Amino acid sequence: MPRATGTFSIDSWDAQPYDEAEGAALSRVHVTKTFDGDLLGTSTTDIITAVAPVESSAAYAGFERFIGTAHGRKGTFVLHHTATSHAGESSLSWTILPDSGTGELAGIRGGGQIVNDDGAHSFHLDYELG
């Protein structure tokens, strides 16, 4: 199974709070990114975030459409994000939505992880083409 690795930068982060009641603040966030490495391209992401009163406790879930190339194969696909953090420990994973690939990425499936190292973002994505 090929592994794509690289980095991405967050080009925009547009958070819209919609519920700031006690217990956790909820927001809808629209994010744009640029990828470098084995994935070359851009993406748009929409996530729902929940941040507890203790700011190191948070979670998000959402979907991202990647447009570009994976190891030189051109197309698009959708990623499903799931993330949690607590007391400095975090888990950020993503899974390719089955049957969402287009172009030379049709049939792509797999998953991986994102690493956020004080704002520097890297990733790995293990995938196969059906």
Side-chain angles (χ1 to χ4, degrees):
M1 182 175 287
R3 173 171 276 197
T5 62
T7 61
F8 64 85
S9 60
I10 296 176
D11 302 321
S12 68
W13 179 278
D14 181 22
Q16 300 295 317
Y18 70 90
D19 184 345
E20 298 182 274
E22 274 188 87
L26 305 176
S27 296
R28 290 178 187 88
V29 183
H30 182 76
V31 184
T32 60
K33 299 177 190 172
T34 300
F35 286 80
D36 192 30
D38 297 327
L39 297 182
L40 287 173
T42 60
S43 72
T44 56
T45 308
D46 285 293
I47 60 175
I48 301 294
T49 64
V51 179
V54 175
E55 209 170 296
S56 65
S57 294
Y60 75 80
F63 294 94
E64 175 172 12
R65 182 178 310 278
F66 172 81
I67 302 166
T69 62
H71 288 117
R73 294 175 184 237
K74 188 174 181 179
T76 70
F77 55 85
V78 173
L79 293 158
H80 174 213
H81 287 253
T82 304
T84 57
S85 66
H86 173 71
E89 297 293 319
S90 63
S91 170
L92 296 93
S93 63
W94 50 3
T95 305
I96 298 170
L97 175 66
D99 300 317
S100 67
T102 67
E104 295 174 317
L105 299 175
I108 192 170
R109 60 183 181 272
Q113 294 186 318
I114 299 168
V115 175
N116 181 354
D117 189 13
D118 289 328
H121 297 92
S122 61
F123 67 87
H124 76 264
L125 181 67
D126 297 315
Y127 70 92
E128 58 186 338
L129 292 167

